[in-house]
Structures are given as C-alpha cells and as structure tokens.
Amino acid sequence: MIVYMLLSGAPPFYGRNDEAIKASIVQGEYQFPNELFRDVTDDAMAFVSCLLSYSIEYRYTAEQALTHPWLKGNCDPDQLHRCKDGAQGVGAISDGYSADINAMQM
C-alpha cells in the first residue's frame, strides 16, 4: 500500500465513505488510474500488484519483494542485500548499536 501511495500520491482503495473503502479493501479492488500512473512503468505497477495481491498465495513476502526485477533495476545492490538480511533477521543489532544500548542502561 505504501509503494502504491509513493508512486501515485493516493491510496489504492477508494470509496465514498468508510464503509465503501472497507468493502474495497475486503474485496481486494484497486486500479491504476492513468492520471495517477501515467509516468509509472509497467514493472513498477507489476511490483505493486505483487504486494497488493488479494490472494495470500500470490502476495509477495518481504524477501520475495526484495528480489523483484523493478527493485533490482532501480536500487543499489548493497542496500537491497542489507534489506534482505534485515527481512531475515540477520545482523539486526550491530556491535556499535548494542554498545550504545548497554551504555544507556548503566
């Protein structure tokens, strides 16, 4: 949902009132209006679709999202690797960070 909003400036689920918005969410109904996505690539919209997939079987996990071709083509490989490690819980606390926490607890 956040990626959709960053690319378009609007939320993916619309409705005239809260009930209509909730129904849109529950039914997994969203679109890519041309006026909001005219400058967004098909790869970026495919990435968003993978994240917003109604079916949990097809919805990307964080690790799958980090391997999507759109991200790979537009992000620094080292940053993606660090994000992937973070999604897997690898290196969650670095030595410097734990030292700072220990100092604050004293």
Side-chain angles (χ1 to χ4, degrees):
M1 190 154 131
I2 293 172
V3 177
Y4 184 103
M5 294 175 71
L6 289 170
L7 292 172
S8 70
F13 303 104
Y14 294 99
R16 294 178 188 217
N17 54 41
D18 287 345
E19 290 302 315
I21 294 169
K22 287 178 190 175
S24 179
I25 293 168
V26 168
Q27 295 169 4
E29 295 176 354
Y30 64 93
Q31 299 176 3
F32 294 104
N34 188 49
E35 63 271 8
L36 298 176
F37 285 89
R38 75 173 59 102
D39 297 326
V40 177
T41 66
D42 289 341
D43 284 343
M45 289 187 283
F47 177 68
V48 170
S49 292
C50 292
L51 299 175
L52 289 178
S53 178
Y54 182 75
S55 173
I56 197 163
E57 297 169 15
Y58 299 110
R59 189 178 319 131
Y60 271 25
T61 63
E63 189 173 351
Q64 289 170 318
L66 291 168
T67 63
H68 191 276
W70 180 68
L71 279 186
K72 282 184 160 186
N74 291 286
C75 295
D76 176 58
D78 291 334
Q79 288 179 331
L80 281 178
H81 184 71
R82 284 192 298 276
C83 290
K84 198 172 186 180
D85 285 348
Q88 295 171 341
V90 176
I93 298 179
S94 70
D95 290 337
Y97 181 73
S98 60
D100 291 343
I101 290 175
N102 290 334
M104 290 180 357
Q105 292 175 346
M106 295 182 153

